[in-house]
Amino acid sequence: MLFRSFNYYNSASQSASRVDVTIANNLKKIKEQQMAAEAAKSPVAVYKGPDTYGTVVVSYPKTWSAYVDSTGRGQALLDGYFAPLVVPSISDKGSVFALRIQVLNQAYASVVQQQTSAQQSGKVTISPYSLPKVPSVVGVKVVGNISSEKSGTLIILPLRDKTLQISTEGTQYLNDFNTYVLPSATFSP
């Protein structure tokens, strides 16, 4: 009788353990599904640049695509192009980008000087600007003809001996730029 009791107890204990493991696995799956559902609700994706170029981090609508050259071999050390769905040709002067991120191998003062001449001719307005998450670094916000071919909004910030530029071209993406990109943007000055 004692042996039967032991077998019963052992069998019941193993069954209870299996049930506990099954419950724990199901709870884990449910939690993972809930986390995935929450992530799917998030309207943004995040780009984080290399530490070498200031660890630039920006959030942008996750319906956008990105092409980023961080090799340091182009005109900019870091050159990012973002656009809804598919990034258009970067060599076509007519392409419009929802977001551009550049780390230029130029001093901040010389980059701002180029925009100051455009301000004197009435092509742009310039005002002081700091990213909300990096308030200690003061740069400028340029609105108007940010290049010879395009108008938009351009943020220029000093980044050590280099310059960080964050911009949107045209006005169609300005709301996303102001809602998602600028409030989340950070870098290591």
Side-chain angles (χ1 to χ4, degrees), residues 139-151:
V140 295
K141 181 177 190 176
V142 180
V143 178
N145 293 337
I146 58 174
S147 73
S148 58
E149 302 90 20
K150 298 176 184 170
S151 65

Side-chain angles (χ1 to χ4, degrees), residues 63-65 82-88 96-98 173:
T63 56
W64 293 4
S65 293
F82 300 75
L85 302 177
V86 176
V87 176
V96 174
F97 300 99
Y173 307 112

Side-chain angles (χ1 to χ4, degrees), residues 97-161:
F97 300 99
L99 172 62
R100 289 286 314 273
I101 301 170
Q102 294 181 298
V103 173
L104 305 174
N105 197 16
Q106 297 175 13
Y108 170 77
S110 74
V111 174
V112 171
Q113 180 57 41
Q114 295 167 8
Q115 295 298 328
T116 303
S117 2
Q119 180 185 30
Q120 292 169 346
S121 64
K123 294 179 181 178
V124 299
T125 58
I126 299 176
S127 56
Y129 185 83
S130 290
L131 292 170
K133 288 194 171 184
V134 192
S136 61
V137 179
V138 179
V140 295
K141 181 177 190 176
V142 180
V143 178
N145 293 337
I146 58 174
S147 73
S148 58
E149 302 90 20
K150 298 176 184 170
S151 65
T153 301
L154 169 66
I155 307 300
I156 305 171
L157 299 160
L159 173 62
R160 302 177 203 130
D161 62 335

Side-chain angles (χ1 to χ4, degrees), residues 30-123:
I30 290 170
K31 188 171 185 171
E32 288 171 351
Q33 290 170 347
Q34 288 173 336
M35 289 173 58
E38 284 301 311
K41 284 192 242 176
S42 172
V44 297
V46 177
Y47 168 76
K48 180 181 178 194
D51 295 342
T52 307
Y53 305 128
T55 317
V56 176
V57 177
V58 293
S59 296
Y60 58 93
K62 68 179 175 183
T63 56
W64 293 4
S65 293
Y67 168 74
V68 180
D69 178 1
S70 60
T71 61
R73 293 187 209 127
Q75 289 182 339
L77 299 171
L78 173 74
D79 207 353
Y81 302 83
F82 300 75
L85 302 177
V86 176
V87 176
S89 170
I90 63 171
S91 59
D92 181 359
K93 297 285 184 193
S95 293
V96 174
F97 300 99
L99 172 62
R100 289 286 314 273
I101 301 170
Q102 294 181 298
V103 173
L104 305 174
N105 197 16
Q106 297 175 13
Y108 170 77
S110 74
V111 174
V112 171
Q113 180 57 41
Q114 295 167 8
Q115 295 298 328
T116 303
S117 2
Q119 180 185 30
Q120 292 169 346
S121 64
K123 294 179 181 178

